[in-house]
Amino acid sequence: MPIENWFATPIYAATASTDSFSKIQEEFAVVVEDLKKNDKFQKNPNWESSTHKITDPTFKENILVDYSLPAFEEELQRHLYQYMFEVNSVWDGIKDFEVIESWLTQTSKGEYAHNHSHGSADIAGAYYVKSNTKDGDLFLNNPNIPLTHSYAFSNLPVTVFHSPQEGKFVLFPGWMEHGVKTNNTDNERISFSFNINFLKTTGSAKKLFKGNV
């Protein structure tokens, strides 16, 4: 094919395997119940009042450190490696990775997630714990807006959308701006967000959750 997509931004989206899904959901059910019992879902005071609640507004905690989620970790590793394989990533030197932050969000009716990025994280991701598929699409903003200024490429989308689905993983570069549309349903939407860094050298960082090729 003569077209070369050199500057595309690969986004990964896939659902958990049938065997893993029920185990992961059971793990998160325990975690969510405990977090609710301890009133951990809080509004970030620096955000608009209609944004979602989050388990750690400071982003200094890590759910994967505080709770045991082995089925989720195993499934995340599988999807992360598939993502890297599909984009032909060079694995030499980045065979280890760590989840540096992770948190849960609770989005009720009338709430949303504002446009933002996850900064310098190598990979940002989301897993949908609870959703009716209509309670707020994830949107991802085109990072190459100048391309759309050309009439020849003006049909390219400025924003793409992913509808939430229980058991679905979405992975993308940490710098990519994204957000969540307003939940206009009566359903409580719960998602798990996380940031991943690849370790360029082994043994130089504390492993919060490490995977090996």
Side-chain angles (χ1 to χ4, degrees), residues 9-76:
T9 304
I11 308 300
Y12 178 92
T15 55
S17 67
T18 303
D19 293 339
S20 299
F21 175 67
S22 60
K23 296 177 183 177
I24 293 172
Q25 293 299 98
E26 289 173 4
E27 290 177 347
F28 274 112
V30 173
V31 174
V32 171
E33 181 181 4
D34 185 68
L35 291 167
K36 285 185 175 181
K37 182 176 66 176
N38 291 287
D39 197 27
K40 288 291 187 178
F41 286 95
Q42 301 287 335
K43 294 274 190 176
N44 187 320
N46 298 317
W47 297 346
E48 294 183 6
S49 59
S50 295
T51 54
H52 57 68
K53 291 182 179 178
I54 192 169
T55 55
D56 177 28
T58 68
F59 297 102
K60 294 179 181 179
E61 299 177 5
N62 194 324
I63 294 293
L64 288 179
V65 173
D66 297 336
Y67 294 91
S68 177
L69 294 162
F72 172 82
E73 291 181 356
E74 182 177 351
E75 188 71 2
L76 171 60

Side-chain angles (χ1 to χ4, degrees), residues 115-154:
N115 186 52
H116 65 287
S117 74
H118 292 195
S120 61
D122 288 329
I123 301 293
Y127 172 83
Y128 298 99
V129 178
K130 182 182 177 184
S131 174
N132 63 6
T133 74
K134 299 177 181 179
D135 42 20
D137 286 357
L138 170 71
F139 63 83
L140 299 153
N141 294 327
N142 184 345
N144 194 7
I145 290 299
L147 183 65
T148 66
H149 295 167
S150 166
Y151 181 75
F153 305 104
S154 59

Side-chain angles (χ1 to χ4, degrees), residues 86-140:
E86 293 292 340
V87 298
N88 297 313
S89 176
V90 178
W91 276 99
D92 291 343
I94 58 170
K95 292 184 178 180
D96 297 333
F97 69 89
E98 60 178 346
V99 176
I100 55 175
E101 296 111 4
S102 63
W103 60 94
L104 280 153
T105 62
Q106 178 189 59
T107 308
S108 301
K109 187 173 184 177
E111 296 179 341
Y112 65 96
H114 61 274
N115 186 52
H116 65 287
S117 74
H118 292 195
S120 61
D122 288 329
I123 301 293
Y127 172 83
Y128 298 99
V129 178
K130 182 182 177 184
S131 174
N132 63 6
T133 74
K134 299 177 181 179
D135 42 20
D137 286 357
L138 170 71
F139 63 83
L140 299 153

